[in-house]
Amino acid sequence: MDEIFNNIKNNYENINFSNIRKIKTKTINDIFFIDDKYVLKIYTLDDEKQVIISIKTQKKIHDLLGISPNIILNKKGEIITKYKNRICCMQEFIEPQENKVDIIEKVAKELTLMHHEFKSFDYGEYKYEKKYKSFQNIEEDIIKNKEQIDRLNTCQDAKKVLNILLDKRLEYLKKYKCEYRPEKYQIIHGDIRPSNIICNNDKAYFIDFDFTSCGDLLFEIGSAAMLISDFNLDEAIRFLQIYNQNSKEVYLDKIIIFNNLLSYYVQSSFPMRLIGKIDDMAVKKMAEGRIACLEFCNKILERECI
């Protein structure tokens, strides 16, 4: 790591590296505070194109809207610094501050702005995979997942929660006759959640564009409403209303939004692919999170459809 830091120092000559602290995160990237003014992210080269696109996207959103941290250019005027099998990105540090800003209103408005700007971006640069799963496809996947769990060398606590998740997926699949057929694809952030939003004074900043792609717009809107509201039904609906009021296009029939969100979670096999790659308790926690998402969608659809 010292060798990497020496290279970085040579490429950011105007930055004083006297105080370097590693940030403890659950991501696979290394993240450091630099002099309490900057954040340094060090990526592996597993997907170089996606890393560069995510950084370019954050830079564009900062330049256009000022709602993401600025990317600091190196001495060559580049947004990244490559060294051996690493990509390094320096960005400004925005300190979170507790304030009285209405988070639901602020994030809903600014997410609308960001989605509108995304429409003008070059779609050819972004990953694009249009998905469709029929009722039968989803049912077959759930059955295969159940058989897979029985064969896995995974702790019983994790297996129990994974089986509950699969039972919930099957229950809601049949209850709502789900199929996953997204209708609106465009560039999206890909991971809108409270941990990826920094509130400072009267502004909300979006960070971590690592999963930016051309994806399901209605999923992003519905997921943001659910997570930013902390699974509060009324606040989630208010999020959608504010988003819709500020959008140049009207997307939001709340039943369509949450039907699409439910269908996404019903068809998704996550976190099955992570079994054996990460700690069993981490898989268990992720499965519990998915159960909470499914139950939230069910509650809101039951209430709104009455």
Side-chain angles (χ1 to χ4, degrees):
M1 190 61 73
D2 287 344
E3 189 178 357
I4 295 175
F5 270 112
N6 286 334
N7 178 268
I8 294 169
K9 289 175 184 178
N10 290 334
N11 278 278
Y12 296 91
E13 295 175 333
N14 296 325
I15 295 176
N16 180 6
F17 285 78
S18 60
N19 182 11
I20 301 172
R21 293 185 291 119
K22 188 169 184 177
I23 302 173
K24 293 182 179 180
T25 68
K26 296 179 181 179
T27 70
I28 60 173
N29 306 311
D30 290 319
I31 305 177
F32 299 86
F33 278 134
I34 307 295
D35 302 323
D36 293 327
K37 293 181 180 179
Y38 306 100
V39 173
L40 172 67
K41 292 185 74 171
I42 302 179
Y43 301 83
T44 64
L45 281 178
D46 293 339
D47 193 346
E48 180 178 352
K49 182 180 178 181
Q50 176 63 26
V51 169
I52 293 172
I53 284 294
S54 71
I55 297 168
K56 283 174 63 178
T57 302
Q58 179 175 325
K59 177 67 173 169
K60 285 183 182 180
I61 290 300
H62 169 81
D63 293 346
L64 289 166
L65 300 173
I67 57 174
S68 64
N70 190 25
I71 302 296
I72 309 301
L73 304 182
N74 64 20
K75 66 182 182 182
K76 296 180 182 179
E78 299 167 333
I79 60 173
I80 64 165
T81 297
K82 292 174 67 174
Y83 183 73
K84 292 187 176 179
N85 63 338
R86 295 286 191 271
I87 293 177
C88 307
C89 170
M90 190 80 70
Q91 56 189 276
E92 67 177 323
F93 169 57
I94 297 173
E95 185 174 5
Q97 293 180 351
E98 289 192 18
N99 48 61
K100 296 181 180 179
V101 67
D102 183 337
I103 300 302
I104 296 294
E105 180 178 6
K106 181 60 63 176
V107 175
K109 284 182 177 179
E110 294 183 351
L111 184 61
T112 311
L113 289 173
M114 185 162 65
H115 283 161
H116 176 71
E117 288 296 340
F118 279 155
K119 293 177 187 294
S120 66
F121 287 17
D122 180 2
Y123 280 46
E125 292 184 327
Y126 292 83
K127 287 183 178 179
Y128 174 68
E129 182 183 357
K130 195 163 186 176
K131 295 181 179 179
Y132 165 68
K133 278 190 182 179
S134 68
F135 179 98
Q136 184 177 355
N137 295 149
I138 299 170
E139 186 175 39
E140 289 171 354
D141 285 348
I142 294 171
I143 291 169
K144 287 179 183 177
N145 287 165
K146 276 190 164 290
E147 293 171 351
Q148 180 185 0
I149 289 174
D150 290 338
R151 297 193 300 266
L152 289 171
N153 183 22
T154 309
C155 76
Q156 289 303 313
D157 284 348
K159 282 187 177 182
K160 181 178 179 181
V161 176
L162 286 165
N163 274 308
I164 293 171
L165 172 58
L166 292 173
D167 289 341
K168 287 287 182 183
R169 287 175 59 199
L170 191 59
E171 175 189 348
Y172 295 143
L173 171 69
K174 294 177 178 178
K175 179 176 180 177
Y176 293 100
K177 298 179 173 57
C178 290
E179 61 178 16
Y180 184 57
R181 191 193 295 268
E183 296 182 1
K184 293 188 180 295
Y185 276 85
Q186 73 153 71
I187 297 168
I188 58 174
H189 176 280
D191 196 18
I192 301 294
R193 60 178 63 244
S195 60
N196 286 338
I197 294 167
I198 299 173
C199 290
N200 181 289
N201 294 326
D202 63 343
K203 295 194 71 173
Y205 296 86
F206 297 97
I207 63 172
D208 289 345
F209 286 71
D210 295 352
F211 296 100
T212 297
S213 66
C214 188
D216 180 355
L217 175 63
L218 299 192
F219 167 79
E220 174 140 296
I221 297 168
S223 175
M226 175 180 67
L227 297 177
I228 303 303
S229 70
D230 194 22
F231 296 86
N232 181 297
L233 302 187
D234 293 328
E235 290 293 270
I237 294 295
R238 186 164 74 90
F239 184 101
L240 297 185
Q241 291 170 339
I242 295 168
Y243 183 102
N244 206 36
Q245 288 164 5
N246 289 273
S247 177
K248 296 182 190 294
E249 299 179 52
V250 177
Y251 298 117
L252 299 183
D253 178 289
K254 52 184 174 288
I255 302 302
I256 292 174
I257 289 286
F258 286 112
N259 259 319
N260 182 74
L261 189 61
L262 177 78
S263 297
Y264 174 87
Y265 288 122
V266 167
Q267 65 84 35
S268 173
S269 295
F270 184 87
M272 294 295 296
R273 65 179 181 273
L274 297 178
I275 296 172
K277 297 180 180 179
I278 63 174
D279 180 79
D280 284 353
M281 290 300 99
V283 172
K284 175 176 176 284
K285 188 172 182 179
M286 290 173 180
E288 289 170 341
R290 281 301 171 99
I291 292 167
C293 293
L294 282 162
E295 291 177 339
F296 174 87
C297 292
N298 177 56
K299 286 177 183 176
I300 208 161
L301 288 172
E302 284 185 336
R303 190 183 78 169
E304 295 300 323
C305 289
I306 292 175

